Amino acid sequence: MSETTLESAAPETDVVVRAACPHDCPDTCAIRVTVRNGIAIKLQGDPDHPPTHGALCTKVSRYTERTYHPERVLHPLRRVGPKQAGVAPQFEPVSWDDALDDIARRLREIAARDPEAILPYSYAGTMGLLQGSSMDRRFFHRLGASLLDRTICASAGAAALGATYGGKLGMHLEHYANSKLILIWGSNSIASNLHFWTFAQAAKRAGAKLICIDPRRTETADKCHQHIALLPGTDGALALGMMHELIRNGWLDQAYIDAHVENGPEGWAALRERALAWPPERTAAECGISVDEVRGLARDYGTLAPAAIRLNYGMQRVRGGGNAVRLIALLPCLTGAWRDAAGGMLLSASGWFPFNVAAMERPDLLAGRQPRTLNMVKIGDDLLRQTGEALPDGSRFGPRIEALVVYNSNPVAVAPDSAKVVRGFERSDLFTVVLEHFMTDTADLADYVLPATTQLEHLDVHGSYGHTYVLRNEPAIMPVGEARPNTQIFRDLAARMGFDDACFLDSDEALAQTAFGPTVDPQALRRDGWVKLDLADAPFADGGFPTADGRCRISSPIFGGADYLPNFESARSAPALAQRYPLAMISPPARNFLNSSFVNMKSLRAIEGRPLLEMHADDAAARGLADGQLVRVFNDRGSHRCHLRINQRAKLGVVHGLGIWWRKFGEDGTNVNQLTSQALTDLGRAPTFYDCLVEVEAAGPANEGE
């Protein structure tokens, strides 16, 4: 077996091509793809890549199955039947020329009236910079379309890190192996952060203590020394309770605080006062845990060093999620944990990467225009709004959305309050184009479906939010069928729209050279497949946070001081609502899915079985429910039928709607997002998926009670 290129390989030669995992996962894996006679026959992790060291998750290890899936969209498709969710869609194959000519014609007609009536909708179906945020952004900037606020996953945490540290920055993944205490906070690492878990296990074997903080008793919690099952949305209160104990017991690094933490009137003194108002008794009552758990957690964090926190994004999907991240991010600054390479915190490392955003996306193509920005979380409401409709903030909506171009996303499945999302996509006067691999819930409601390449079929470059290595993805095979890269599709559309700017002629290789500017050697990246960023092992050992004064920030001129905010929907904040819907629901990902990706893979769907709701035995008994029973989960936003699983993973008063299933695989054509809200977080305009009250009852026939 040899490492060579597709162009130089003899027909019968096995070729090993370097690739990178495209999916929305913290630890972007380096991959080796073995190709024989133009067919990818094997995919494995690259053992030479230091942070991921050859391991692949179950999902990505089956990526060749995805690439050659018999249901893959291989030719452009045009709708010939009505748009109606739950009804088999009717499409006919068309040529690329016919599809692109018609799409461009329709977009030109709409843009002539108002280009802001056109909206792109994309997220992290691929994390690659070329296929995710290059030629597409140039196209929509040149068009003058509405801008999309891409907030559906991580923006609350991102805003919090920016307000606290000055950017999305954290410790190095590899150094967790040397930590003596690791708090795994809001992360089912075994399922969603596998490579971190490998380093955490190394630390555990060396004597480190692992504590999982999560409402759900996850597979990761099973393997930790302790699980603290707090109520959803109370993470900020727990952080303040920990601070209370750190202060009372003298477990602070006062020298680090004095030198590197904000010290004005809204800084450490104000935070200290807030923390002292959260003794263990108050903290325990708010979080639904014991006083001993609060005290013990603070004692471990204050006395075991080096102490590290691995935070993940689930815990910020509530009203106060951004402030919770701010408070947790302050903990290693108060104890001086940053002094050691194996101490500190990691939520996202993506701020270390020198992305050349302006050169890739070309916002200058707007030429002074300032289109409106629509938040992707609120697509359900926005698709149903009329031109000039009054908005809650007193402003006006602007033109009705007439065209939607969806790529790298499946909003009908993943966006909240999905009954509204479906109604919007069903509009007969909405022109929808979807770039996809499969007929997803969203593709089913499109006017055109364009076949996009998978990661094995196109060039891309990647950063990561879980480690500090740049990666390059080489195309391992020629595109299957008539699939085209996103970059090429938007080039083709630009040409038909008459956009003659030179930037639309940039090749994918030229884009790859541009992505990181002069800070990453493109030749080394192409030769080796990855390049490690040149960063200090302990980046904040001597402070030096990228804030205005180099100090960690406690207050913000925009957000005020970091503090705890309870959920929108809880017994404390909405007692009348909680009387009708007494169960708090979170919707963590099913272990073998990644958001809505891989749901159509029969091998993975067979492992998951069917859409499930996890519930505590006492909650089930109070409702006369039995394990395996078909149940109806409901609130004012909608109803979803699924099967009940009674187990010890659910805390009393909390249920888990494991997602995100495609709606078409649900019992009644819905998924858990039928119940979630379009309300936004305190920071970052992000979704509040885990801030959701419901009730559960035995299910009757489909649609009963809705």
Side-chain angles (χ1 to χ4, degrees):
M1 189 179 294
S2 61
E3 287 206 22
T4 182
T5 65
L6 293 178
E7 293 84 358
S8 64
E12 299 299 324
T13 302
D14 282 3
V15 183
V16 178
V17 181
R18 293 188 184 275
C21 176
H23 290 288
D24 188 0
C25 167
D27 307 325
T28 308
C29 294
I31 297 172
R32 294 182 180 180
V33 185
T34 303
V35 180
R36 181 180 300 164
N37 297 329
I39 304 296
I41 62 170
K42 183 180 180 181
L43 185 145
Q44 62 192 119
D46 190 334
D48 296 333
H49 185 229
T52 61
H53 42 72
L56 290 179
C57 68
T58 302
K59 302 174 280 289
V60 174
S61 67
R62 306 189 188 198
Y63 201 81
T64 54
E65 181 183 343
R66 177 182 175 86
T67 300
Y68 297 115
H69 197 289
E71 296 174 358
R72 187 170 167 197
V73 176
L74 298 179
H75 310 283
L77 300 174
R78 177 170 57 201
R79 174 174 294 281
V80 294
K83 296 181 187 179
Q84 185 176 350
V87 175
Q90 300 175 49
F91 287 87
E92 64 179 2
V94 294
S95 70
W96 268 107
D97 283 342
D98 285 348
L100 293 171
D101 286 347
D102 192 35
I103 293 167
R105 178 185 63 81
R106 297 283 296 271
L107 294 180
R108 279 197 303 271
E109 290 175 355
I110 296 169
R113 294 190 293 272
D114 193 329
E116 291 186 30
I118 300 169
L119 177 70
Y121 196 103
S122 70
Y123 199 67
T126 174
M127 296 288 282
L129 300 184
L130 274 62
Q131 307 306 329
S133 55
S134 65
M135 201 60 68
D136 57 309
R137 309 298 174 93
R138 296 179 182 190
F139 177 83
F140 291 111
H141 285 150
R142 176 66 175 79
L143 182 61
S146 289
L147 303 175
L148 183 70
D149 201 7
R150 292 175 170 84
T151 65
I152 204 163
C153 179
S155 63
L161 290 180
T164 309
Y165 293 163
K168 292 182 286 184
L169 310 169
M171 59 185 286
H172 294 277
L173 177 66
E174 301 95 315
H175 294 317
Y176 280 96
N178 300 315
S179 303
K180 294 304 180 186
L181 173 72
I182 303 177
L183 305 186
I184 303 174
W185 203 319
S187 176
N188 185 8
S189 303
I190 290 176
S192 62
N193 202 179
L194 179 63
H195 303 98
F196 156 74
W197 181 247
T198 302
F199 292 109
Q201 286 292 91
K204 184 180 179 183
R205 289 191 296 270
K209 184 172 184 178
L210 273 56
I211 301 176
C212 179
I213 304 171
D214 198 303
R216 180 174 183 254
R217 186 171 182 83
T218 62
E219 297 89 341
T220 302
D222 290 340
K223 302 294 184 182
C224 289
H225 295 96
Q226 184 182 6
H227 172 220
I228 297 177
L230 76 177
L231 289 169
T234 61
D235 306 82
L238 182 56
L240 284 167
M242 290 174 66
M243 291 179 192
H244 177 283
E245 291 297 280
L246 296 176
I247 295 166
R248 287 297 190 195
N249 291 282
W251 295 325
L252 300 172
D253 185 334
Q254 194 61 52
Y256 194 93
I257 293 171
D258 291 343
H260 307 306
V261 175
E262 180 186 355
N263 60 1
E266 300 302 319
W268 167 235
L271 178 63
R272 186 179 187 278
E273 183 177 349
R274 282 195 291 275
L276 288 175
W278 283 90
E281 294 77 12
R282 180 187 180 191
T283 303
E286 186 71 16
C287 297
I289 58 179
S290 72
V291 170
D292 286 344
E293 285 176 308
V294 178
R295 288 181 173 145
L297 177 63
R299 181 176 59 251
D300 286 339
Y301 190 72
T303 61
L304 298 177
I309 300 172
R310 184 58 173 100
L311 197 60
N312 215 337
Y313 284 110
M315 52 74 58
Q316 47 107 73
R317 293 181 182 134
V318 294
R319 176 200 177 196
N323 268 285
V325 173
R326 293 173 74 191
L327 290 166
I328 296 166
L330 288 166
L331 289 169
C333 303
L334 303 185
T335 62
W338 284 114
R339 294 187 187 276
D340 195 295
M345 191 200 80
L346 177 62
L347 172 60
S348 174
S350 63
W352 294 121
F353 289 85
F355 300 133
N356 198 347
V357 175
M360 293 291 282
E361 300 184 0
R362 294 295 303 273
D364 58 293
L365 293 169
L366 286 167
R369 295 170 294 180
Q370 296 181 324
R372 66 180 176 183
T373 298
L374 300 180
N375 189 304
M376 67 189 309
V377 176
K378 292 185 168 292
I379 190 66
D381 280 343
D382 286 348
L383 284 176
L384 299 175
R385 295 190 193 280
Q386 300 295 328
T387 298
E389 182 176 321
L391 298 176
D393 64 2
S395 64
R396 296 285 175 178
F397 182 64
R400 193 176 200 206
I401 299 171
E402 295 185 50
L404 196 63
V405 182
V406 180
Y407 55 104
N408 301 339
S409 188
N410 182 12
V412 173
V414 305
D417 203 353
S418 59
K420 289 184 176 179
V421 180
V422 170
R423 290 205 303 275
F425 271 85
E426 286 178 329
R427 281 173 40 199
S428 60
D429 63 341
L430 176 70
F431 179 60
T432 304
V433 179
V434 174
L435 285 58
E436 253 301 350
H437 304 145
F438 301 102
M439 292 303 295
T440 63
D441 292 332
T442 304
D444 283 348
L445 296 175
D447 294 282
Y448 278 96
V449 181
L450 304 180
T453 47
T454 68
Q455 189 75 348
L456 303 189
E457 300 160 301
H458 57 233
L459 176 67
D460 221 323
V461 291
H462 294 253
S464 173
Y465 62 95
H467 60 67
T468 48
Y469 287 72
V470 177
L471 296 96
R472 179 178 166 106
N473 181 83
E474 300 287 353
I477 59 174
M478 297 299 293
V480 178
E482 296 184 64
R484 294 184 183 181
N486 290 350
T487 45
Q488 188 58 44
I489 294 171
F490 283 106
R491 280 191 202 95
D492 295 339
L493 279 173
R496 283 167 170 79
M497 296 289 289
F499 299 163
D500 57 4
D501 309 76
C503 66
F504 291 108
L505 300 177
D506 286 350
S507 67
D508 281 9
E509 185 59 53
L511 292 171
Q513 302 273 341
T514 299
F516 295 100
T519 55
V520 173
D521 182 351
Q523 300 309 316
L525 183 59
R526 184 168 191 174
R527 181 189 67 239
D528 300 330
W530 65 80
V531 173
K532 189 179 190 304
L533 298 180
D534 184 16
L535 300 169
D537 282 344
F540 304 129
D542 299 310
F545 296 93
T547 56
D549 60 2
R551 291 173 176 263
C552 167
R553 305 298 299 180
I554 292 169
S555 64
S556 161
I558 300 173
F559 307 127
D563 203 355
Y564 167 64
L565 292 174
N567 281 2
F568 287 120
E569 299 187 9
S570 69
R572 171 183 166 182
S573 57
L577 185 68
Q579 283 289 319
R580 291 187 291 133
Y581 305 117
L583 297 170
M585 187 190 77
I586 61 173
S587 45
R591 181 169 180 175
N592 292 286
F593 302 155
L594 201 164
N595 299 321
S596 77
S597 298
F598 300 100
V599 179
N600 65 315
M601 303 278 289
K602 290 182 179 179
S603 61
L604 296 174
R605 204 163 68 246
I607 299 172
E608 290 299 328
R610 54 195 181 183
L612 296 173
L613 183 81
E614 293 180 332
M615 178 181 275
H616 190 279
D618 290 352
D619 284 326
R623 292 162 175 79
L625 303 175
D627 187 55
Q629 181 176 359
L630 188 65
V631 296
R632 175 176 174 255
V633 193
F634 61 98
N635 59 20
D636 288 342
R637 288 178 287 273
S639 175
H640 168 56
R641 296 195 312 155
C642 57
H643 285 83
L644 185 65
R645 175 171 290 173
I646 299 172
N647 60 25
Q648 295 182 344
R649 298 203 182 282
K651 180 182 177 70
L652 186 66
V654 181
V655 294
H656 314 141
L658 302 183
I660 303 172
W661 286 77
W662 290 7
R663 292 169 60 90
K664 68 177 72 178
F665 294 128
E667 292 290 334
D668 50 6
T670 66
N671 68 15
V672 72
N673 278 326
Q674 199 83 355
L675 308 167
T676 54
S677 165
Q678 294 181 70
L680 302 180
T681 54
D682 51 349
L683 282 64
R685 307 167 308 284
T688 55
F689 288 117
Y690 295 1
D691 190 336
C692 179
L693 289 178
V694 300
E695 181 56 288
V696 181
E697 65 183 14
N703 301 319
E704 181 179 299
E706 294 186 22

